[in-house]
Amino acid sequence: MRIFVGEFLCGGGMPATDLERIPSTLLCEGTSMWQALVEDFSQWAEVVTPLDRRLVDEFSQANPRVRSVKIDDADCFLNDWIAEAKACDWALVVAPETGQVLESTFAAFREAGVQMLACTESVIRMASDKWLTAQWLSQHGIPTPLTWSAEQLLAAEHPSGPPRELAVGCVGSTSRHEGSNWLRKPRDGCSGDAVRASRDWRSLVAGMDTSDVLQARVDGRSASVIVLSYDHEFFRERADRVGPMVCPVMWQDCPWESGVRGGSSPGSSPGSSPGLSLGSSPGDSSVRYRGGSGPATEAMQHRGLALAERVCRALPSSQLGFIGIDMILGDRPEDDCVIEINPRMTTSYVGVRHLTDGNLTSVWNPNGSHEVTFRGGSDQIRWNVEGPAGCPLVDEGC
């Protein structure tokens, strides 16, 4: 079997952009995910993978089961990807949602007849848009923070706060007297760089673009669950596969970085209010992903997995590939909520794969054993994506 593995940032998606201009944490996340995928898939399949010409010397594989393809044309990279993928049995692509890159890339692959380990087009469209995601979660009774679209807020009168009747979601407060915090996010954002937090919702709304959403900020801790999904038709001959593989709940290390006014403590996270000082100017604080740890404690596992399983049950059963579910596990169980759904692999994979002696990608190996078990306990793994690109610091037994 031959698998195409393409990661946008290190695989040639931005050859016309100086490497120094690509945020180092994003490039590190991308190359970390790419290396983990290539290593795991190559244990049971031949791997074909594109590499940005500037990274070939650094990341070319000595593994005889991996063939790297140099990409050096900014205008033709997608054509080169598709040409290589058409000679493979399956293709798995990791790309950002920003600017519909993920959706358009998957659509181009499918139009060319490439078999994708990927979610369906409708799920990719929904999950790539934070406003559509919030609506979908609400429609399926899955708790998510109160969320408003820019179009609603810019057209409405709201002298005392964002009007609750225009929001979707059910978690959070709209009362200015309850010390509410607010988040402004781009609908298609894929990192925390563009997320802004403030206690002054007016300033956030005044600075909104038509492609933004406003969300109530929920007290708690940021977590992530990776799901390896496979539709029933794909595994119709495998009696041992009756549902998606839901990986353990892992914590996300996402500290806030303060602006001119306000400050943050090193350990604070997007869902954690202690140590966060927010002033009154929009953009006082932004969030930065540094890595993660896990698994979560047994009690938090139970709460997080319950949320993830609700998402899985609501999704159509015809999904393939990775799904990432980001959530807040609240200070109170009733504040637990899903923040977003990622219709692709997420960086937590570089950590969660160390919780098993098996190979997570083996769930897609039609000729192999799909038995994968995870080690018990909590806080066994910690990973940091702020090191050199492609070299996450993964500590076991932390």
Side-chain angles (χ1 to χ4, degrees):
M1 178 167 285
R2 185 179 295 122
I3 308 288
F4 175 90
V5 175
E7 197 286 322
F8 184 79
L9 291 177
C10 69
M14 302 181 70
T17 303
D18 292 339
L19 288 178
E20 293 73 18
R21 293 183 58 195
I22 301 174
S24 59
T25 53
L26 288 182
L27 184 57
C28 185
E29 285 186 65
T31 52
S32 298
M33 288 187 284
W34 168 79
Q35 286 189 321
L37 284 173
V38 167
E39 180 179 334
D40 288 353
F41 275 116
S42 67
Q43 291 182 14
W44 57 271
E46 296 179 23
V47 174
V48 177
T49 185
L51 269 177
D52 188 306
R53 58 179 173 77
R54 297 162 296 182
L55 300 175
V56 168
D57 291 340
E58 185 176 359
F59 294 121
S60 286
Q61 300 286 313
N63 188 336
R65 295 176 64 84
V66 178
R67 180 169 67 86
S68 299
V69 179
K70 183 171 69 173
I71 303 296
D72 55 12
D73 190 331
D75 297 323
C76 298
F77 92 92
L78 188 55
N79 291 336
D80 293 340
W81 276 29
I82 291 173
E84 295 291 343
K86 289 177 73 172
C88 296
D89 297 288
W90 293 93
L92 190 145
V93 171
V94 182
E97 292 89 339
T98 307
Q100 297 184 315
V101 171
L102 181 73
E103 185 177 350
S104 61
T105 300
F106 283 12
F109 269 65
R110 283 177 164 140
E111 185 176 351
V114 177
Q115 292 274 15
M116 299 289 292
L117 283 171
C119 295
T120 57
E121 293 179 15
S122 62
V123 169
I124 292 171
R125 187 174 304 111
M126 173 273 291
S128 298
D129 184 320
K130 291 179 174 56
W131 175 239
L132 296 182
T133 301
Q135 291 179 303
W136 183 88
L137 290 167
S138 297
Q139 291 166 2
H140 289 85
I142 300 169
T144 194
L146 291 165
T147 305
W148 295 260
S149 70
E151 292 178 345
Q152 291 175 314
L153 289 179
L154 295 175
E157 294 183 4
H158 37 76
S160 60
R164 191 178 186 114
E165 65 272 13
L166 295 181
V168 298
C170 60
V171 182
S173 171
T174 61
S175 172
R176 61 180 177 176
H177 303 296
E178 295 183 25
S180 301
N181 295 326
W182 309 93
L183 303 176
R184 186 181 69 218
K185 306 176 179 180
R187 288 172 59 161
D188 63 350
C190 67
S191 73
D193 292 343
V195 177
R196 293 295 179 266
S198 179
R199 293 188 185 279
D200 184 358
W201 63 270
R202 292 179 183 273
S203 296
L204 290 179
V205 171
M208 288 184 85
D209 185 89
T210 54
S211 60
D212 287 338
V213 296
L214 184 77
Q215 271 189 343
R217 183 165 168 265
V218 179
D219 290 336
R221 192 171 178 185
S222 298
S224 178
V225 174
I226 286 181
V227 177
L228 285 75
S229 189
Y230 30 82
D231 67 16
H232 299 307
E233 181 67 18
F234 180 67
F235 279 97
R236 62 187 182 276
E237 297 178 358
R238 295 301 305 245
D240 59 337
R241 293 259 56 97
V242 295
M245 176 188 291
V246 182
C247 297
V249 178
M250 308 297 280
W251 298 122
Q252 294 182 313
D253 182 10
C254 304
W256 288 101
E257 293 185 330
S258 60
V260 176
R261 286 179 284 180
S264 62
S265 69
S268 60
S269 70
S272 177
S273 57
L276 177 63
S277 174
L278 294 173
S280 60
S281 68
D284 276 342
S285 298
S286 61
V287 68
R288 177 169 53 96
Y289 178 79
R290 296 196 308 191
S293 61
T297 61
E298 183 177 355
M300 290 301 192
Q301 285 290 334
H302 178 76
R303 289 165 53 179
L305 291 177
L307 275 180
E309 288 166 0
R310 291 178 68 175
V311 172
C312 291
R313 287 195 299 268
L315 289 171
S317 62
S318 55
Q319 307 308 309
L320 272 171
F322 287 97
I323 299 172
I325 304 171
D326 292 341
M327 60 185 67
I328 295 292
L329 297 182
D331 294 343
R332 307 172 301 170
E334 55 265 37
D335 289 335
D336 293 350
C337 56
V338 174
I339 301 299
E340 62 183 78
I341 301 169
N342 298 290
R344 55 171 173 80
M345 180 187 184
T346 62
T347 316
S348 293
Y349 184 83
V350 305
V352 77
R353 64 194 286 264
H354 288 271
L355 293 178
T356 176
D357 295 327
N359 185 331
L360 297 184
T361 66
S362 67
V363 300
W364 298 306
N365 180 1
N367 301 313
S369 171
H370 299 159
E371 293 300 324
V372 177
T373 58
F374 296 96
R375 290 190 288 275
S378 60
D379 291 328
Q380 299 178 41
I381 299 292
R382 185 179 305 277
W383 67 95
N384 182 351
V385 298
E386 294 191 318
C391 302
L393 303 178
V394 180
D395 298 326
E396 298 190 46
C398 62

